[in-house]
Amino acid sequence: MSMTPISHLHDEVVELYEAYGSYLGAATELHKRHPYLAKPNQLRSYIKTEVNGAVVDYETIEANVQLAKANQRLSDKNRIAAKSFREHARIENAVTAYNEAIIAELSLHGAALGDCPRRTGPLDPTAAALVVHLSDNHFNELVNLPTNRFDFEVAAKRLALLAQKAKLLGKAYGVERVVVFFGGDLMNSDRRLDELLAMSTNRARATLLAVHLYKQFLMDLRADFFVDCFGVTGNESRAKDNLGWVDVVATDSYDFTIYAMLQAIFDATEDQGMRFHDFQANEVIFSIHNETFLGLHGHQVNATDQKKCQAIIGKYGAKGVKITHILCGHIHATVVSDYVSRNASLVGSNAYSEEALGFISKAAQNIHIVTPQGLDGFKADLQNVDGVDGYEIISKLAQYNAKSADKAHLAMYEPKTIIQVVI
């Protein structure tokens, strides 16, 4: 309600209007009581304003309030939706930029390999081939036992020794093509306390160190052979705590990350003799000559149970796929048999296997020679690396501040005094 010259007499004005029933009558009486006011004709309009302004339309007010609240609710929803979109858009843009930067960096590393030696010329389709089975390498594990030591430096030597033995076999059999099967568990788990304590560095840094070593291993083989790569996930290298089997969950794994980074590096060289095939979540099938291999990690099969292995072969037989040999790992002990071969590990024995399981093993990886006549299995013993020149890793170790078995040994047997308490 707007103010008038008689607003200070509001209550009296309303009483007069109710008494006289007309604006003019109320104005005349009000002028008699207060002669200093305007004339009755002028007071008449003031009284009308005072009387009508005092009437409150509560329904209209309530409707206006409800409308205002509805508008505010809609504004809040729009604001929240816009904020949520902005946050998701910022995250997606950041992740996209991060991935693009990683791929660009990997491409630069790959381009630097352009001058590395490579086998060239035509591939003889009848020539023998090798299958180098890499599994349970457990990079980032630190082992310091009287019977075994393992860190990135030892891993670099054992991988180099494996390449040497593959080359020796390749030369003996006239091999032109090598298939490298990445069988999972390339990275060590960090979900248990003893695993956290036995880490060389964090898993992000260890991933880059692993890629650095595998890059050199593959280039070592590529110098003498044409190379094809296949890969599946393991159980220990998963990024999440729970083990998954569907592709979208199973490939949330450091195994996939390492494989994809290697693929990005070698794709930059446009080398037709180095091929990376699609990475699979749990199982992969590839054929060489008359052999069809089923590659899996091994936590879903018992390699020493012939009936269970035959059941897996039968499962694929029902689909029209004739599997002739299963490649698996998981249990760190070598098995080479007619229809299934199990890989050991690059690590060898650790505290868990020796103390908790009472199970002692040696560092080894399997190599299979495939000819048109058949399949020969070979266990490459990698335990002793004395005198072996490993792949370059020292500068990367310094860059990522990774612990070594020697440092762990010194820390264990020659501890430093941090605080000395004298009583």
Side-chain angles (χ1 to χ4, degrees), residues 25 78 113 162 210 248 256 261 276 294 309 321 336 345 376 387 411:
N78 291 336
L113 302 177
L162 178 62
V248 69
F256 174 72
M261 292 177 74
F276 279 80
L294 171 63
C309 293
V321 181
V336 178
S345 72
D376 297 313

Side-chain angles (χ1 to χ4, degrees), residues 299-314:
H299 53 302
Q300 62 272 59
V301 61
N302 184 353
T304 59
D305 191 327
Q306 184 72 16
K307 290 184 177 180
K308 291 184 178 179
C309 293
Q310 290 177 185
I312 293 177
I313 293 174

Side-chain angles (χ1 to χ4, degrees), residues 396-407:
K396 294 296 181 181
L397 287 173
Q399 180 178 347
Y400 294 115
N401 193 29
K403 294 182 290 186
S404 67
D406 290 337
K407 291 181 181 179

Side-chain angles (χ1 to χ4, degrees), residues 145-160:
L145 297 173
T147 58
N148 185 41
R149 285 193 179 188
F150 185 77
D151 55 18
F152 278 106
E153 294 181 44
V154 175
K157 293 182 178 181
R158 287 177 176 170
L159 272 182

Side-chain angles (χ1 to χ4, degrees), residues 217-248:
F217 175 76
L218 292 176
M219 286 305 302
D220 199 355
L221 295 178
R222 181 66 186 93
D224 291 359
F225 312 107
F226 300 104
V227 179
D228 286 86
C229 297
F230 296 87
V232 296
T233 61
N235 65 308
E236 291 292 340
S237 293
R238 62 187 186 272
K240 300 292 191 300
D241 287 342
N242 296 322
L243 180 64
W245 297 98
V246 297
D247 286 4
V248 69

Side-chain angles (χ1 to χ4, degrees), residues 67-362:
L67 180 60
K69 290 169 65 177
N71 289 336
Q72 184 61 47
R73 186 184 302 111
L74 181 61
S75 298
D76 290 341
K77 287 182 178 180
N78 291 336
R79 176 180 55 79
I80 293 171
K83 179 183 178 183
S84 178
F85 173 78
R86 286 195 304 271
E87 291 176 350
H88 282 85
R90 287 168 181 166
I91 293 173
E92 182 178 350
N93 291 337
V95 171
T96 299
Y98 177 67
N99 289 338
E100 289 175 349
I102 290 178
I103 292 174
E105 187 68 21
L106 293 174
S107 298
L108 289 176
H109 283 280
L113 302 177
D115 296 331
C116 293
R118 292 178 176 83
R119 183 190 180 104
T120 58
L123 171 65
D124 182 1
T126 64
L130 294 182
V131 177
V132 178
H133 187 181
L134 292 174
S135 73
D136 300 280
N137 290 177
H138 289 276
F139 283 120
N140 205 33
E141 183 170 359
L142 192 64
V143 178
N144 181 39
L145 297 173
T147 58
N148 185 41
R149 285 193 179 188
F150 185 77
D151 55 18
F152 278 106
E153 294 181 44
V154 175
K157 293 182 178 181
R158 287 177 176 170
L159 272 182
L161 180 59
L162 178 62
Q164 292 174 18
K165 294 189 175 185
K167 287 185 172 185
L168 188 61
L169 285 172
K171 184 177 181 180
Y173 280 84
V175 169
E176 295 188 5
R177 178 188 179 195
V178 171
V179 172
V180 178
F181 170 49
F182 291 86
D185 279 5
L186 307 180
M187 185 71 61
N188 199 43
S189 170
D190 63 357
R191 286 176 293 278
R192 295 182 289 271
L193 178 60
D194 57 341
E195 292 169 336
L196 282 170
L197 296 175
M199 286 169 49
S200 290
T201 183
N202 66 57
R203 292 217 285 184
R205 293 173 173 176
T207 299
L208 300 177
L209 290 170
V211 170
H212 180 64
L213 285 179
Y214 284 132
K215 176 187 70 176
Q216 296 176 81
F217 175 76
L218 292 176
M219 286 305 302
D220 199 355
L221 295 178
R222 181 66 186 93
D224 291 359
F225 312 107
F226 300 104
V227 179
D228 286 86
C229 297
F230 296 87
V232 296
T233 61
N235 65 308
E236 291 292 340
S237 293
R238 62 187 186 272
K240 300 292 191 300
D241 287 342
N242 296 322
L243 180 64
W245 297 98
V246 297
D247 286 4
V248 69
V249 178
T251 52
D252 189 7
S253 165
Y254 289 94
D255 293 327
F256 174 72
T257 301
I258 291 170
Y259 189 91
M261 292 177 74
L262 287 169
Q263 185 174 6
I265 289 174
F266 285 100
D267 282 351
T269 63
E270 298 182 356
D271 180 10
Q272 299 299 321
M274 171 70 76
R275 299 187 299 181
F276 279 80
H277 300 267
D278 290 342
F279 189 89
Q280 302 298 319
N282 298 301
E283 300 175 349
V284 65
I285 297 173
F286 56 90
S287 297
I288 307 173
H289 294 312
N290 300 319
E291 303 293 332
T292 299
F293 294 92
L294 171 63
L296 41 79
H297 176 62
H299 53 302
Q300 62 272 59
V301 61
N302 184 353
T304 59
D305 191 327
Q306 184 72 16
K307 290 184 177 180
K308 291 184 178 179
C309 293
Q310 290 177 185
I312 293 177
I313 293 174
K315 179 185 75 171
Y316 279 92
K319 301 177 182 179
V321 181
K322 184 181 178 182
I323 301 296
T324 60
H325 205 81
I326 298 175
L327 302 176
C328 65
H330 186 58
I331 304 298
H332 299 180
T334 303
V335 172
V336 178
S337 64
D338 295 331
Y339 293 99
V340 61
S341 294
R342 186 176 67 199
N343 225 15
S345 72
L346 201 66
V347 180
S349 287
N350 59 19
Y352 177 75
S353 63
E354 288 195 6
E355 303 300 332
L357 302 180
F359 186 84
I360 298 177
S361 63
K362 298 177 67 175

